[in-house]
Amino acid sequence: MVYTIEFGGVEREPGIRMLHDMKEVVCDREWFDSVDDFELYYMFRHLSMSEAELKTINKQHLRYDITVIPPGMMGREFVKTAGHYHPNVPGEEISYPEVYQVLEGEATYLLQKHKVDDILDVVVIKAKAGDIALIPPDYGHVTINASDEPLKMANWVCCDFDSSYVPFRDMEGGAYYLLDKGFVRNPRYEDLPELRYITPVDIPEFGLECGRDMYELVNDTEKLRFLKQPQDFVGVFESIVTI
């Protein structure tokens, strides 16, 4: 299957995450071993509406992406992304953040804060079309489509680093799995905190407003500086994650 989207008047082709790419993080191992490989979700990277805007984005060391996750089940588990962490900003004790906006469908974001081998906090953000979901520094994250409609979401992120998928693979997924019966703990983790739920909110300090297309920040990239220099915005991040 060739799945494409149109963005900026150009047909875009994706990177494709296959089921077998997710081997280490799937909850239902018996089901996984019984099925053939298939396309799971689609990643469209380095998008822009024009060449001029792409130059602006690249100059600012940013990246605008769209990911499409069709509905479905992986055995008893809802379809999800592989999960990853971001590295620390060079010379700082804080990792790079990321911000998502749901364009179509509904998303469930699972965020987990870690220190060495301990999980200190696990947060769930349920977001609908137009909603903003901020991934604060020091949180790994998984996106889940627990609906019966395709999930289409955008993200802004700094492009100066590579994400780390290994911690999620080593622990066979995130701290919790979202199954057809609800969230269940991943037994590979010890002493997990209870899930906390927070609501998507506007973040005026970053120019982010639920219902407003965050791609428009290409015209005000100073508002996206928090993605590159999160150490300057610690108070804002703390206020959001404690809502």
Side-chain angles (χ1 to χ4, degrees):
M1 174 181 177
V2 178
Y3 184 97
T4 62
I5 63 171
E6 184 177 300
F7 195 85
V10 178
E11 188 175 43
R12 314 283 182 162
E13 294 190 359
I16 302 174
R17 184 78 71 194
M18 304 295 292
L19 173 67
H20 285 188
D21 296 330
M22 304 275 285
K23 178 179 180 180
E24 296 88 350
V25 300
V26 172
C27 174
D28 194 336
R29 302 297 309 168
E30 183 177 353
W31 169 84
F32 181 89
D33 292 338
S34 70
V35 297
D36 294 330
D37 201 11
F38 61 87
E39 295 176 6
L40 207 59
Y41 60 94
Y42 308 93
M43 303 165 288
F44 301 86
R45 302 296 189 234
H46 296 280
L47 299 179
S48 68
M49 295 295 289
S50 69
E51 285 298 319
E53 289 180 350
L54 182 60
K55 288 181 180 179
T56 297
I57 294 169
N58 290 340
K59 183 178 180 180
Q60 294 299 321
H61 298 258
L62 296 171
R63 201 179 78 215
Y64 182 85
D65 309 323
I66 288 176
T67 301
V68 178
I69 308 176
M73 301 294 294
M74 300 187 299
R76 295 175 293 118
E77 184 180 14
F78 286 101
V79 64
K80 64 182 181 183
T81 59
H84 64 266
Y85 288 97
H86 297 167
N88 282 0
V89 176
E92 303 289 341
E93 294 185 359
I94 187 172
S95 73
Y96 289 97
E98 189 167 2
V99 63
Y100 288 88
Q101 183 172 42
V102 176
L103 303 177
E104 298 174 12
E106 298 178 355
T108 301
Y109 298 99
L110 177 73
L111 286 56
Q112 56 187 63
K113 184 175 183 178
H114 74 123
K115 185 175 182 180
V116 190
D117 294 328
D118 295 326
I119 299 298
L120 306 180
D121 189 26
V122 186
V123 175
V124 173
I125 305 173
K126 292 187 175 182
K128 63 183 184 304
D131 283 347
I132 298 290
L134 179 71
I135 312 300
D138 305 324
Y139 281 80
H141 54 285
V142 176
T143 304
I144 306 162
N145 184 358
S147 76
D148 57 3
E149 300 292 335
L151 166 61
K152 183 179 182 181
M153 62 183 182
N155 67 275
W156 278 111
V157 69
C158 178
C159 64
D160 288 345
F161 66 88
D162 293 322
S163 298
S164 176
Y165 296 85
V166 173
F168 281 87
R169 291 171 181 165
D170 287 348
M171 297 302 289
E172 299 178 10
Y176 288 79
Y177 299 114
L178 183 51
L179 308 185
D180 49 11
K181 63 180 181 180
F183 278 106
V184 298
R185 292 171 180 252
N186 178 344
R188 289 275 290 149
Y189 293 81
E190 297 181 3
D191 301 321
L192 280 178
E194 295 294 330
L195 289 171
R196 292 195 302 118
Y197 290 79
I198 63 175
T199 303
V201 294
D202 297 341
I203 311 171
E205 297 91 340
F206 301 155
L208 297 167
E209 181 181 337
C210 293
R212 179 183 176 187
D213 186 355
M214 71 176 188
Y215 180 79
E216 295 176 7
L217 291 174
V218 71
N219 300 310
D220 189 7
T221 54
E222 174 62 21
K223 291 290 188 181
L224 296 171
R225 187 168 65 87
F226 74 94
L227 294 170
K228 301 178 291 181
Q229 298 170 300
Q231 66 272 17
D232 294 343
F233 303 93
V234 172
V236 179
F237 293 123
E238 290 178 347
S239 68
I240 292 167
V241 80
T242 57
I243 291 173

